Amino acid sequence: MSELQPASSRPSSRPVPLWRRPAVRWVGSAAVLGALLWALPLNELRGAFARIPARTWALALPAYLCLHLAGATKWRLMVNAADGGLGWGAALRCYGYGLFGNTFLPSVAGGDLVRAGLATKLARSPSGVVVGSVADRVLDMAALTAVAGVGVALAHRSPAAGSAAIPIAAAVGLVVAGTSACAAAFALPLRWIPKRLRRTWVRALRSFRTAAARPWRLAGALMLGTFLQGSLALLNAWLGAACGIEVGWAAWLLVWPVAKLSAMLPVTQGGLGVREAALAALFAPFGVAAGLVVAAGLAFQAVVFAGGLTAGALAHLLGRMARR
């Protein structure tokens, strides 16, 4: 996948922070998973995995990839709302590489950088790609918050609704703070911007204003993001039911977005381990055995890993076809 390589091969003199190194993330995931497996009965985990039918495994991966077509549509909608001028084929390639990066690079932002970096070479306006990608990430946070809010409304009598209040409030705060910071940054007088950055800043400002002048696209992207995150929660509910978890889908709409938000902490690789621990803690008030929850979380993580590999391979294939 040569397209993942940076345009410049000049080595960077700035040291990479310890928490951003892949080896540290994998060690963190191994430590958290090891603690979970040590604390939980292995027979319960093995039994939960054995309950998952082969048909469920076979259908989960195509369902996961099809759902991410909505994610690619959402991202392209935001990029083109900022006048990025990105075609469908290029958007699918970039999104596929980004999905691969989200799974196997040190953080979620790593996949975003891969996706945006490749898109800047294929789009009409690189500044539109950057502005659209930032807006897309903010909308993802808003969509997760919206899905969790629906779960709270449907499961408000459960003790888990109270335990999820703090993460949901934190997510709302991050969305509001991120949106306000972007708006405040673009409202700065041009004279405050360093001269060497003014031309790039003006281009980004034009893209930001273009996107803000198209609110219907922002609303459409938010609807697509909410559909994607809600559908992923229901996919987890399907895998959880196969493992033997007997709770309503409303509980998954509440618990899964909060667990995904907790997995964004930069301590493990792709949230592996942290997400499963958060799921076990959040499902405890529902009376669900922790072993079943961890098994369902690991089953979904297997689908995510397979989806990242498949998306990266398909993106590479699309790139070769485009070069021909």
Side-chain angles (χ1 to χ4, degrees):
M1 298 183 183
S2 59
E3 296 176 16
L4 290 174
Q5 298 176 355
S8 173
S9 59
R10 182 178 59 186
S12 174
S13 58
R14 185 177 299 176
V16 178
L18 184 65
W19 61 270
R20 292 188 60 185
R21 296 178 183 178
V24 175
R25 299 292 190 90
W26 283 111
V27 169
S29 291
V32 176
L33 284 177
L36 285 174
L37 295 177
W38 178 79
L40 298 175
L42 294 181
N43 290 335
E44 191 174 51
L45 285 171
R46 285 196 296 264
F49 275 115
R51 292 192 191 101
I52 303 178
R55 181 179 60 182
T56 301
W57 286 113
L59 294 177
L61 178 59
Y64 177 80
L65 293 175
C66 288
L67 288 176
H68 273 287
L69 288 176
T73 304
K74 171 178 62 69
W75 174 65
R76 179 177 177 268
L77 187 64
M78 291 308 306
V79 168
N80 288 346
D83 204 25
L86 188 65
W88 260 112
L92 288 176
R93 287 170 57 195
C94 299
Y95 192 88
Y97 278 132
L99 201 59
F100 175 86
N102 283 342
T103 307
F104 297 101
L105 291 183
S107 68
V108 174
D112 290 348
L113 292 176
V114 168
R115 181 178 63 181
L118 179 57
T120 54
K121 303 176 183 178
L122 303 175
R124 179 177 63 245
S125 171
S127 60
V129 172
V130 175
V131 171
S133 297
V134 172
D136 177 75
R137 179 53 63 184
V138 173
L139 286 179
D140 276 344
M141 295 286 292
L144 278 172
T145 307
V147 173
V150 172
V152 170
L154 295 176
H156 64 281
R157 295 182 180 179
S158 170
S163 64
I166 294 178
I168 293 174
V172 172
L174 288 174
V175 172
V176 173
T179 305
S180 303
C182 291
F186 283 112
L188 291 175
L190 190 60
R191 64 179 181 275
W192 291 10
I193 308 302
K195 290 184 178 180
R196 60 187 180 88
L197 297 178
R198 285 181 182 177
R199 180 174 297 181
T200 303
W201 188 263
V202 168
R203 291 174 181 171
L205 181 59
R206 289 174 180 170
S207 299
F208 178 79
R209 289 175 175 171
T210 301
R214 298 168 174 172
W216 64 271
R217 293 196 179 187
L218 298 177
L222 180 58
M223 291 177 63
L224 283 172
T226 305
F227 167 77
L228 172 61
Q229 301 301 336
S231 299
L232 289 176
L234 295 179
L235 178 59
N236 276 261
W238 184 43
L239 290 171
C243 290
I245 298 177
E246 297 179 355
V247 294
W249 54 270
W252 283 96
L253 291 179
L254 165 63
V255 169
W256 185 81
V258 178
K260 186 173 182 180
L261 288 170
S262 67
M264 292 182 180
L265 294 174
V267 293
T268 61
Q269 179 62 35
L272 179 61
V274 173
R275 184 186 295 108
E276 288 71 30
L279 283 173
L282 291 168
F283 266 120
F286 289 94
V288 181
L292 300 181
V293 176
V294 172
L298 292 177
F300 179 72
Q301 194 66 47
V303 174
V304 170
F305 273 53
L309 286 172
T310 305
L314 291 175
H316 181 64
L317 180 61
L318 287 174
R320 294 189 62 179
M321 293 173 61
R323 285 192 295 271
R324 290 178 182 176

